[in-house]
């Protein structure tokens, strides 16, 4: 008996609807994603059970390295410019256009005022290495405020409603964090948030 040959047909699938959906998803994630600001140092925060979310806007982030070096900054560049102008005026530091540009492009302030101009004169790729060896001093100047306190005050003057958020490494010496908090208390800055990692159920057991 002769075999019946089944005619083969090409299968064609219209991929246009799928490409439209992928384009819409891509646009959605691009418009709704929040990009993290790069930090000058890597910090591993301690665990806690607190679920209070730190506000995304109008926050002065204070970063403390494992070695106890302090950095601070806010994502609002207008506030950063006002802080820069206030501090350079107080210390008589003159910054040229390139140095000011580097300051505003930097994620955080992390250099003593007497080294700020030299730091901002470095190439951007070298600034990342240099800032890890610096940090904002917490020693009082002539019995008055420290540079750290003056930067916090400059941020408060730029935005009276700014909130403070402290992010310290789990290996940061307690005395360093305590000294920084004492300086904030001396300024009547008694309300701030500590950034931590949320402890999982397995870690609680």
């Amino acid at each position: 008996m002769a075999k019946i040959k089944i005619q083969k047909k090409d299968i064609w699938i219209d991929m246009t609807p799928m490409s439209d959906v992928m384009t819409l998803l891509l646009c959605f994630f691009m418009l709704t994603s929040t990009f993290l600001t790069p930090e000058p140092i890597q910090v591993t925060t301690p665990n806690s059970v607190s679920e209070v979310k730190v506000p995304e806007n109008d926050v002065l982030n204070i970063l403390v390295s494992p070695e106890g070096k302090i950095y601070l900054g806010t994502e609002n560049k207008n506030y950063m410019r006002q802080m820069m102008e206030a501090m350079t005026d107080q210390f008589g530091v003159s910054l040229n256009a390139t140095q000011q540009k580097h300051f505003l492009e930097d994620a955080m302030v992390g250099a003593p005022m007497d080294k700020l101009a030299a730091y901002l004169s470095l190439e951007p790729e070298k600034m990342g290495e240099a800032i890890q060896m610096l940090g904002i001093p917490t020693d009082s100047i002539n019995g008055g405020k420290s540079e750290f306190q003056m930067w916090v005050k400059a941020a408060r003057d730029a935005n009276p409603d700014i909130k403070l958020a402290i992010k310290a490494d789990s290996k940061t010496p307690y005395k360093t964090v305590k000294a920084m908090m004492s300086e904030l208390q001396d300024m009547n800055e008694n309300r701030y948030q500590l950034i931590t990692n949320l402890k999982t159920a397995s870690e609680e057991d």
Side-chain angles (χ1 to χ4, degrees):
M1 181 181 293
K3 293 183 178 180
I4 300 174
K5 292 184 178 181
I6 300 175
Q7 186 178 0
K8 294 183 179 181
K9 295 182 179 180
D10 293 333
I11 299 175
W12 181 79
I13 300 176
D14 186 5
M15 300 295 291
T16 303
M18 183 176 291
S19 62
D20 291 342
V21 171
M22 293 300 296
T23 303
L24 289 173
L25 286 174
L26 179 61
C27 292
F28 171 78
F29 287 117
M30 289 177 63
L31 294 173
T32 58
S33 298
T34 301
F35 296 96
L36 295 176
T37 303
E39 297 177 341
I41 56 170
Q42 195 78 13
V43 168
T44 303
T45 55
N47 295 330
S48 74
V49 295
S50 174
E51 296 186 29
V52 178
K53 186 177 180 181
V54 178
E56 296 182 0
N57 300 318
D58 297 337
V59 176
L60 180 66
N61 294 298
I62 302 173
L63 192 67
V64 189
S65 73
E67 296 76 24
K69 299 184 182 301
I70 298 176
Y71 310 86
L72 58 79
T74 177
E75 294 185 359
N76 191 310
K77 296 304 178 183
N78 291 327
Y79 298 154
M80 290 294 289
R81 180 180 292 277
Q82 294 179 48
M83 292 163 59
M84 175 190 68
E85 292 173 351
M87 290 295 290
T88 51
D89 286 346
Q90 290 185 63
F91 284 84
V93 176
S94 179
L95 301 178
N96 57 38
T98 301
Q99 292 168 334
Q100 293 183 29
K101 179 175 179 291
H102 286 174
F103 180 92
L104 296 176
E105 290 176 348
D106 218 358
M108 288 185 163
V109 181
M113 290 304 298
D114 59 347
K115 298 180 181 178
L116 182 62
Y119 164 72
L120 295 175
S121 298
L122 298 173
E123 295 296 326
E125 57 271 12
K126 293 183 179 179
M127 290 174 62
E129 299 176 3
I131 197 172
Q132 298 184 31
M133 306 301 295
L134 298 173
I136 299 176
T138 55
D139 300 327
S140 299
I141 303 174
N142 297 326
K145 294 181 179 179
S146 67
E147 288 188 25
F148 168 71
Q149 291 175 315
M150 296 173 75
W151 276 111
V152 174
K153 183 180 182 303
R156 180 66 69 190
D157 291 340
N159 179 13
D161 297 324
I162 201 166
K163 303 171 184 64
L164 275 58
I166 300 174
K167 184 177 181 181
D169 194 275
S170 57
K171 297 181 180 178
T172 302
Y174 172 72
K175 63 178 182 180
T176 300
V177 179
K178 181 181 179 181
M180 181 188 63
M181 290 181 175
S182 296
E183 293 207 352
L184 292 175
Q185 291 175 353
D186 291 342
M187 303 172 62
N188 293 323
E189 294 286 354
N190 298 313
R191 300 188 65 179
Y192 43 79
Q193 291 177 297
L194 299 176
I195 300 177
T196 58
N197 288 326
L198 183 62
K199 185 181 293 185
T200 62
S202 60
E203 290 174 328
E204 292 179 8
D205 297 338

